[in-house]
């Protein structure tokens, strides 16, 4: 099963980290020295994604600018002989035509955002990657899912899952566990934010999906669910009645960068993963641990 396209829902307002996101998209907040959106695009590129589809909103134009060439900057760096900086920019520069942008126009939830990408995705399986969730691991989470897709049938849907504390399951979309093969299992039910004590497992649905195009027809008429929004999980529950869904317990450390604590934790984790920064960062942190 070949997956060529990935959808990145980036229209959210980032209210959990205000005022930082008042004038700046949350996807452009930096983890160490790169914006969040760069990390997830790199993850998708590593997984073999060829076409990157962004579902944006107002005040998100800097995301598009980030992936465009800046000729003034390129020429300035060239004139000053800054080859290292030029190489870094070239490394992250996408090919012409590899990125598409469309607008959600109304804050109707993740399911609606995915539906907005329907005409660009077309009739082929695709990935959905939530930009405020980072997974620190090599290979990346999406590449692990791609490998799982190769083992499963041509009409399989895959969801990345992570165990959460039992007393926190009411805050997440939770899936039931069927037949298992290693870290891949058949999903025998999904529920969005189940009441306390009713969750079928402690495996939460995270921000990585591989979905079949039939999901678009369901989303087109999907009624609003939790929070008054069109929930992607609700549409997946309907699709699961006619197509197989599998969960993948991925390897890696997940960081919710849409929260203040998660954002700070991600900066430390990704900084410590860098050989050129690790020693200096550890020394700086020791100052605060002694305080």
């Amino acid at each position: 099963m070949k997956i060529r396209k990935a959808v990145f829902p980036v229209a959210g307002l980032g209210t959990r980290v205000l005022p930082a996101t008042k004038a700046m998209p949350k996807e452009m907040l930096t983890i160490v020295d790169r914006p969040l959106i760069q990390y997830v695009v790199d993850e998708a590129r590593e997984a073999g994604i060829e076409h990157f589809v962004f579902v944006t909103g107002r005040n998100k134009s800097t995301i598009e600018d980030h992936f465009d060439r800046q000729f003034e900057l390129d020429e300035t760096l060239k004139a000053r002989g800054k080859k290292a900086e030029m190489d870094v920019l070239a490394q992250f520069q996408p090919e012409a035509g590899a990125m598409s942008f469309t607008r959600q126009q109304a804050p109707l939830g993740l399911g609606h955002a995915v539906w907005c990408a329907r005409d660009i995705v077309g009739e082929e399986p695709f990935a959905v990657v939530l930009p405020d969730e980072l997974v620190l691991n090599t290979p990346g989470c999406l590449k692990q899912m791609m490998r799982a897709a190769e083992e499963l049938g041509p009409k399989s849907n895959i969801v990345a899952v992570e165990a959460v504390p039992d007393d926190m399951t009411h805050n997440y979309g939770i899936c039931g566990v069927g037949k298992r093969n290693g870290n891949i299992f058949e999903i025998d039910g999904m529920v969005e934010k189940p009441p306390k004590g009713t969750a079928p497992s402690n495996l939460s649905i995270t921000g990585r999906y591989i979905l079949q195009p039939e999901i678009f027809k369901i989303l087109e008429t999907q009624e609003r669910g939790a929070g008054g929004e069109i929930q992607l999980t609700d549409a997946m529950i309907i699709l699961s009645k006619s197509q197989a869904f599998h969960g993948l317990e991925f390897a890696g450390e997940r960081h919710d960068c849409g929260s203040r604590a998660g954002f700070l934790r991600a900066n430390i984790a990704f900084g410590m993963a860098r050989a050129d920064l690790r020693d200096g960062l550890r020394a700086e942190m020791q100052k605060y641990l002694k305080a």
Side-chain angles (χ1 to χ4, degrees):
M1 184 169 63
K2 175 67 173 177
I3 296 96
R4 301 188 311 112
K5 298 178 181 179
V7 175
F8 301 85
V10 295
L13 298 175
T15 54
R16 289 190 294 166
V17 287
L18 283 169
T21 51
K22 180 181 178 181
M24 176 188 293
K26 66 177 179 179
E27 297 82 10
M28 292 301 295
L29 296 175
T30 53
I31 301 297
V32 187
D33 56 2
R34 282 186 261 168
L36 281 168
I37 193 65
Q38 185 69 63
Y39 283 96
V40 292
V41 166
D42 290 345
E43 179 185 334
R45 185 183 288 116
E46 177 206 25
I49 293 297
E50 301 168 3
H51 195 153
F52 307 82
V53 184
F54 298 84
V55 182
T56 72
R58 288 181 293 276
N59 302 320
K60 299 282 186 168
S61 60
T62 53
I63 296 175
E64 189 168 356
D65 291 340
H66 174 72
F67 291 107
D68 199 0
R69 288 195 62 187
Q70 294 192 20
F71 292 98
E72 298 87 350
L73 177 60
D74 291 344
E75 289 302 312
T76 299
L77 293 176
K78 183 178 179 180
R80 295 178 179 178
K82 292 186 176 293
K83 186 177 184 304
E85 289 81 356
M86 293 176 65
D87 290 343
V88 168
L89 293 181
Q91 176 186 350
F92 298 123
Q93 182 66 47
E95 294 182 7
M99 296 195 164
S100 297
F101 296 82
T102 187
R103 289 207 174 194
Q104 186 175 9
Q105 297 181 321
L108 295 178
L110 176 58
H112 181 260
V114 171
W115 177 77
C116 289
R118 65 199 182 281
D119 288 334
I120 303 174
V121 171
E123 296 296 323
E124 59 182 286
F126 64 102
V128 177
V129 183
L130 303 192
D132 53 2
E133 294 189 18
L134 300 185
V135 177
L136 181 56
N137 195 76
T138 302
C141 181
L142 191 56
K143 187 167 186 177
Q144 296 174 52
M145 296 176 72
M146 293 291 200
R147 290 175 176 174
E150 294 174 358
E151 302 176 12
L152 301 170
K155 280 293 182 180
S156 292
N157 301 269
I158 308 173
V159 180
V161 302
E162 179 185 51
V164 297
D166 291 338
D167 60 350
M168 296 293 290
T169 54
H170 63 284
N171 293 320
Y172 301 90
I174 301 294
C175 59
V177 180
K179 184 180 178 181
R180 178 182 285 275
N181 181 15
N183 64 339
I184 304 172
F185 61 90
E186 296 177 1
I187 293 177
D188 61 7
M190 290 176 280
V191 58
E192 181 69 25
K193 298 182 179 180
K196 286 186 177 182
T198 66
S201 75
N202 70 336
L203 293 177
S204 68
I205 299 169
T206 66
R208 304 288 187 274
Y209 313 79
I210 291 176
L211 299 172
Q212 298 299 319
E214 287 80 5
I215 195 80
F216 292 124
K217 286 292 185 183
I218 298 171
L219 289 169
E220 188 171 354
T221 58
Q222 181 69 45
E223 296 182 357
R224 299 190 187 196
E229 298 180 337
I230 297 174
Q231 296 290 341
L232 182 60
T233 302
D234 292 341
M236 291 194 300
I237 291 171
I238 296 173
L239 184 58
S240 68
K241 297 175 182 179
S242 59
Q243 291 185 359
F245 268 79
H246 289 82
L248 170 71
E249 292 187 80
F250 59 88
E253 186 178 77
R254 173 180 168 269
H255 297 272
D256 177 11
C257 300
S259 69
R260 291 178 175 85
F263 177 75
L264 292 171
R265 179 171 174 258
N267 269 284
I268 294 171
F270 279 80
M272 290 297 290
R274 290 264 298 266
D276 59 327
L277 300 175
R278 188 180 303 123
D279 292 343
L281 179 56
R282 181 183 288 113
E284 290 298 323
M285 288 191 295
Q286 287 296 329
K287 298 178 182 178
Y288 294 95
L289 292 173
K290 295 175 182 178

